[in-house]
Amino acid sequence: MALPATRPTAAFPTGAALSADQLLEIYYFLRLTRTLEERLVALYRQTKVIGGLFRSLGQEGESVASAYALERGRHKDILSPLIRNLGSLLVMGAQPVEILRQYMAKAESPTRGRELNVHFNDLEKGYLGQISHLGDMIPVMAGIALTFKLRREPRVGLVYIGDGGMSTGTFHEGLNLAAVQRLPLVVIGEYNHWAYSTPPDKQFAVTDLAEKAKGYGVQAVTVDGNDVFAVYEATRFAVERARRGKGVHFIEVKTYRRKGHAEHDDQHYVPKADLERWASENDPIDRYTQRLLGADMVAEGDLKDIDDRVRVEVDQATDACVDEPLPPAESALPGVYVDPPSADKLWFKAL
Ligand SMILES: Cc1ncc(C[n+]2csc(CCOP(=O)(O)OP(=O)(O)O)c2C)c(N)n1
Ligand SMILES: [Mg+2]
């Protein structure tokens, strides 16, 4: 995506800057996240997805912008995504075909069909799949950040946690440990207004989730989670600060979960007016696009080209894997038992 160097950059008060190429790359990841999820919905309706399908509709901005503030590549920063952070995985280098294979539990998926959706790792690319138990990735990522600190490596860990997940004991224990040890850890707290069907006033008594982090002596800010620029800038600042040995930083992103917990959930408990308002006035991709075009940072044609490219890439990734087989049943055993029984001794073969 080479562009004339004369195009303006987005400069921030903290000194961070994004070139026109980077602005377009962020747009690419936003579009890729949304388009890939839309493709997954189609596959889900064709019963090709195994297990649940979790959307990040309306939250793509915070996932992409926060991950984009990290250093990416071998032996660089590491993040741990939740089910609604597909965008962050794509930024770190996960391929659409890997995501599709994971959701369809294909034999060729990164976990060979043993795990689903975003539950997979690639530490070379810099991501560690989540443990399903909410809150547990905070101490796990604190451990990773402790490793960086002990080895004196200038690397940072970034971990996402939902407004519901912040009610777990492990969140508090992990954050306290990270604070006391002044670990290079950035925590993104997602205030998306729902945890399954539980709204904020039934979940916590603080106004801002940042208040919880401040209670542990952690630097904490609240930002508009649907403003890509604000999230990028806040994360960039936090990441650089953590890299300089200044300790943990918590960033609360205010956003909205515009779909149900998963695709099966009809959201009957969500006020329709709220959904409409967040969609029409506060869509992160629309806002980002308007800002880019309004400030003449990119040309409309460049965005259109990216839209086309994303469609082609998602089509090609789907074609590449949709008819692939599921793993053979025997393949579930190696890697689980030290001495797996031979195929002819398996109980289901004897039935
Ligand atoms: C310790 C624990 N309790 C309950 C669950 C079941 N569970 C999975 S997702 C979820 C809701 C999570 O809400 P939130 O943390 O706000 O994240 P969001 O879904 O809004 O992204 C629950 C209760 C779990 N995985 N782990
Ligand atoms: Mg939530």
Side-chain angles (χ1 to χ4, degrees):
M1 272 185 288
L3 289 167
T6 49
R7 290 257 175 81
T9 58
F12 300 99
T14 53
L18 286 167
S19 68
D21 274 0
Q22 289 175 309
L23 293 168
L24 286 176
E25 196 180 22
I26 289 174
Y27 179 79
Y28 164 77
F29 285 122
L30 292 169
R31 275 273 162 244
L32 183 60
T33 307
R34 188 164 290 182
T35 308
L36 191 53
E37 285 189 4
E38 284 166 357
R39 175 58 47 88
L40 283 164
V41 172
L43 294 167
Y44 181 89
R45 290 184 183 153
Q46 294 165 32
T47 67
K48 288 180 173 145
V49 166
I50 313 277
L53 170 56
F54 308 93
R55 295 289 310 271
S56 67
L57 183 69
Q59 294 182 227
E60 300 96 333
E62 45 107 345
S63 283
V64 167
S66 50
Y68 204 80
L70 294 176
E71 283 189 8
R72 289 169 281 164
R74 207 157 168 263
H75 299 311
K76 301 286 188 189
D77 299 336
I78 293 195
L79 67 71
S80 179
L82 294 171
I83 45 176
R84 267 175 253 293
N85 300 119
L86 173 61
S88 72
L89 273 184
L90 295 170
V91 169
M92 298 306 279
Q95 296 301 303
V97 71
E98 293 179 297
I99 306 293
L100 292 166
R101 283 179 173 140
Q102 275 291 118
Y103 264 101
M104 292 189 278
K106 298 292 192 185
E108 288 303 312
S109 76
T111 56
R112 305 265 174 248
R114 288 155 190 258
E115 262 283 22
L116 299 170
N117 58 67
V118 298
H119 289 253
F120 70 108
N121 305 311
D122 192 330
L123 291 177
E124 298 266 307
K125 287 181 179 163
Y127 51 87
L128 180 68
Q130 75 175 104
I131 303 167
S132 289
H133 302 83
L134 297 175
D136 282 10
M137 291 317 288
I138 303 289
V140 170
M141 287 303 292
I144 286 188
L146 180 61
T147 308
F148 295 160
K149 185 178 166 180
L150 292 175
R151 288 185 187 159
R152 297 180 194 281
E153 293 174 346
R155 301 167 72 185
V156 174
L158 184 144
V159 59
Y160 298 89
I161 180 91
D163 41 13
M166 282 184 65
S167 299
T168 61
T170 25
F171 164 77
H172 294 274
E173 293 168 33
L175 190 66
N176 187 56
L177 171 78
V180 169
Q181 295 286 336
R182 290 175 72 80
L183 300 179
L185 184 70
V186 175
V187 182
I188 308 287
E190 299 172 317
Y191 189 131
N192 70 355
H193 291 80
W194 299 100
Y196 270 132
S197 55
T198 307
D201 63 346
K202 296 273 188 307
Q203 182 77 243
F204 44 84
V206 291
T207 308
D208 294 324
L209 296 172
E211 290 171 52
K212 294 196 183 192
K214 286 177 190 164
Y216 294 103
V218 165
Q219 283 277 324
V221 286
T222 298
V223 300
D224 177 345
N226 288 9
D227 178 344
V228 168
F229 289 95
V231 176
Y232 173 77
E233 191 199 6
T235 318
R236 187 65 200 269
F237 178 76
V239 165
E240 291 317 315
R241 192 177 160 278
R243 209 184 299 287
R244 288 199 317 276
K246 301 287 181 192
V248 190
H249 209 111
F250 179 92
I251 301 170
E252 174 184 10
V253 291
K254 291 270 207 276
T255 182
Y256 203 87
R257 193 194 76 193
R258 280 177 29 209
K259 298 291 283 183
H261 175 68
E263 204 52 23
H264 67 270
D265 173 2
D266 68 4
Q267 298 175 287
H268 59 274
Y269 50 87
V270 178
K272 292 270 167 307
D274 287 0
L275 280 177
E276 277 157 23
R277 192 164 41 82
W278 280 87
S280 63
E281 296 170 18
N282 214 349
D283 180 81
I285 305 185
D286 288 351
R287 283 178 62 189
Y288 184 66
T289 308
Q290 283 157 16
R291 182 103 172 258
L292 291 183
L293 295 176
D296 222 9
M297 290 179 184
V298 301
E300 208 164 350
D302 293 334
L303 301 184
K304 169 95 183 38
D305 289 348
I306 291 173
D307 294 346
D308 294 342
R309 175 182 152 201
V310 163
R311 262 192 297 276
V312 169
E313 286 181 6
V314 171
D315 281 349
Q316 285 175 345
T318 312
D319 292 347
C321 70
V322 70
D323 293 325
E324 284 178 354
L326 299 176
E330 303 85 74
S331 73
L333 298 174
V336 177
Y337 297 103
V338 174
D339 190 11
S342 60
D344 58 322
K345 298 222 172 60
L346 294 173
W347 64 269
F348 50 85
K349 295 264 171 168
L351 289 177

